[in-house]
Amino acid sequence: MSSTLLPKPQMRGLLGKRLRFHIVGALIVSLGSAVLYKYGVAEPRKRAYADFYKNYDSMKDFEAMREAGVFESVQPKDS
Amino acid sequence: QMDAPGCGRDGLGLLATQEDMSVPQYCDKRSYPLPDVPYHKDLGAEQKALKEKEKGSWKQLSNEEKVALYRLKFNQTFAEMNRPSSEWKTVLGGVFIFFGFTGLIVWWQRVYVFPPKPHTLTDEWKAQQVKRMLDMRVNPIQGFAAKWDYDKNEWKK
C-alpha cells in the first residue's frame, strides 16, 4: 500500500459535463446525418428525375412498350 | 419476493449451507460493500492484540498488520470477488453447438422434407421474367430498367 496521496477526483459538475457532451454530440450526429442524406440521396435523386424527364418522349416510350407486347389494351402494330 | 438489500437474501444462489438467517450475515457483494458483521468473529490471542493496537494511531501499524486487519474483517477484496470467469466460453460454445445441430436438422429437412422448387425459379423462366420487366420499363429512372441500355441491348457498364 502506497502512502502517496491520489489527486482529488472531480466532485462537481458531473451531470452538466455529461449533458453538454451528449447534447453537442446529438446535435452533430443529427445535423450531420440530415446533411449527408440531403446531399447524398435527395439531391442526386432530384437531379436524376430532372435529367430523365428533360428530353423524355413518352409517346416514343409507349410505342416501344407496345411493340414489346406488354399491353392488353393495344396490340403490336403489325399483328 | 426480495426485501431490502443486505447480506441475507442474496438472490444469487451462492449459499449452499443452512445458515442461521436470524442473525446478521457476512457476504462479499459489490452492491453491499460493508457487510453487517466482520468475517472473522472469534479472534485468537494475537488477533485480539492487533485489534487493540488498531484502537491507537494507525501510523504505528505496519503494512502487514493493516492487511491482516483487512483480512480479519473481509473475506475477499473487491478485485477478488469481481474477478472475471471463463463462463462466457462455455456459453458461446454451447450456443455454437446448438447452431450446428440446428444446421444439421435444416439440412436434413432440405433433403427429405422440402417439395421440388417452383418452375418459376428455373433459368429460362427468370430470363423471360427479366425481359418482360425491361419491356415494361420497370423503375426506368433510378431502378431496374435504368440499368439497361435499350440502344445497345445490353446492361449498362
Side-chain angles (χ1 to χ4, degrees):
Chain A
M1 263 175 264
S2 71
S3 44
T4 52
L5 286 175
L6 295 168
K8 184 169 177 180
Q10 182 66 11
M11 306 289 267
R12 291 164 174 265
L14 297 164
L15 178 65
K17 181 166 161 219
R18 176 197 164 86
L19 281 179
R20 183 179 133 121
F21 176 82
H22 282 85
I23 286 177
V24 167
L27 277 174
I28 291 175
V29 165
S30 50
L31 290 175
S33 30
V35 165
L36 279 178
Y37 184 86
K38 181 175 170 74
Y39 292 106
V41 176
E43 288 304 313
R45 182 167 292 162
K46 287 196 267 189
R47 219 166 341 110
Y49 273 72
D51 293 341
F52 180 83
Y53 283 111
K54 197 165 26 165
N55 299 317
Y56 181 59
D57 185 358
S58 56
M59 288 316 295
K60 175 158 159 267
D61 221 21
F62 164 73
E63 292 299 331
M65 283 196 259
R66 175 190 187 173
E67 288 312 302
V70 294
F71 290 125
E72 291 179 10
S73 48
V74 286
Q75 297 300 313
K77 270 202 283 279
D78 49 359
S79 74
Chain B
Q1 167 196 340
M2 296 293 284
D3 38 16
C7 281
R9 301 288 302 275
D10 73 341
L12 299 172
L14 298 176
L15 298 175
T17 57
Q18 280 281 22
E19 303 282 341
D20 182 5
M21 296 306 233
S22 59
V23 295
Q25 305 276 313
Y26 176 83
C27 62
D28 284 314
K29 267 202 271 182
R30 191 161 62 177
S31 57
Y32 200 75
L34 297 175
D36 303 324
V37 291
Y39 184 54
H40 285 106
K41 271 190 291 265
D42 311 311
L43 303 177
E46 53 178 60
Q47 291 168 330
K48 286 203 176 105
L50 192 54
K51 291 300 267 184
E52 285 303 313
K53 194 175 174 195
E54 193 191 17
K55 293 181 184 170
S57 168
W58 287 344
K59 289 205 203 305
Q60 21 112 340
L61 293 169
S62 70
N63 276 353
E64 293 80 28
E65 286 173 329
K66 288 178 191 168
V67 173
L69 283 167
Y70 179 89
R71 289 292 176 181
L72 282 181
K73 185 164 263 186
F74 299 103
N75 180 19
Q76 290 181 311
T77 66
F78 273 78
E80 288 161 8
M81 79 169 80
N82 294 334
R83 69 190 176 280
S85 75
S86 291
E87 189 186 6
W88 67 272
K89 298 177 195 168
T90 312
V91 169
L92 228 51
V95 165
F96 289 144
I97 285 175
F98 279 104
F99 279 174
F101 182 64
T102 308
L104 288 173
I105 293 183
V106 170
W107 185 11
W108 179 86
Q109 279 184 330
R110 199 112 66 95
V111 171
Y112 288 104
V113 179
F114 282 11
K117 284 206 271 198
H119 64 100
T120 51
L121 289 177
T122 59
D123 283 335
E124 314 100 63
W125 187 280
K126 288 203 283 193
Q128 290 168 343
Q129 191 166 345
V130 166
K131 174 153 193 355
R132 187 148 184 274
M133 284 167 72
L134 292 172
D135 289 341
M136 287 196 288
R137 310 295 194 270
V138 168
N139 288 333
I141 303 172
Q142 281 188 310
F144 194 72
K147 300 191 165 78
W148 178 260
D149 190 338
Y150 282 94
D151 302 314
K152 291 200 214 124
N153 241 351
E154 59 187 10
W155 291 109
K156 287 184 185 166
K157 300 284 183 296

